[in-house]
Amino acid sequence: MVDRANLYRIAPFGAYVFFMILEDVLLKFGWEPGELRMLYALKIAVVAGLLWSMRSAYSELRWPSGAGLRVCFTALVAGIVVFIAWINLTADWMVMGESVGFDPREDGEIDWFLVTVRIIGAALVVPVMEELFWRSFLMRWIENPDFLAVNPAHVGLKALCIAAALFALAHTLWLAGLFA
């Protein structure tokens, strides 16, 4: 049985995956990509809504007591390094499958609403959803099914490697995903 702590971290990820599968199915049934442009906005709205409605359960997102400038600086540097990896680890051998690009134009005009939704989704919603699922839940759950009792700093090499490998396999830029 899935308890609430598990569900709160799995549900946003599951909703995101559901919409990815739905888009693939609709494309296979003959829908055109242009007809599905708003599906991304719906996906991000649903995932953001789930994250927001369950936000009180995410104790790992609370600012750690006693965290000072050093913690902020370390987090900022780590974020910059991962960002640089994502945009630079793109050689052919570092890519698995094909990435579906996003064309912000509709009838030759930029659709600023969808551009805004894509930026919000890619920069704010998806990273939080992924961190909660892959590292807060799955990595610690592999270590111990009572994952909330596991300090992320004390996760073993096995759990770290399994979660990192699965995260990498879920991304087109697999090496960047593994690095992240």
Side-chain angles (χ1 to χ4, degrees), residues 140-170:
R140 295 191 297 166
W141 183 85
I142 291 168
E143 188 71 28
N144 179 352
D146 183 15
F147 75 98
L148 289 175
V150 178
N151 180 335
H154 299 132
V155 169
L157 186 59
K158 174 185 162 190
L160 176 68
C161 289
I162 291 171
L166 291 172
F167 183 79
L169 290 172

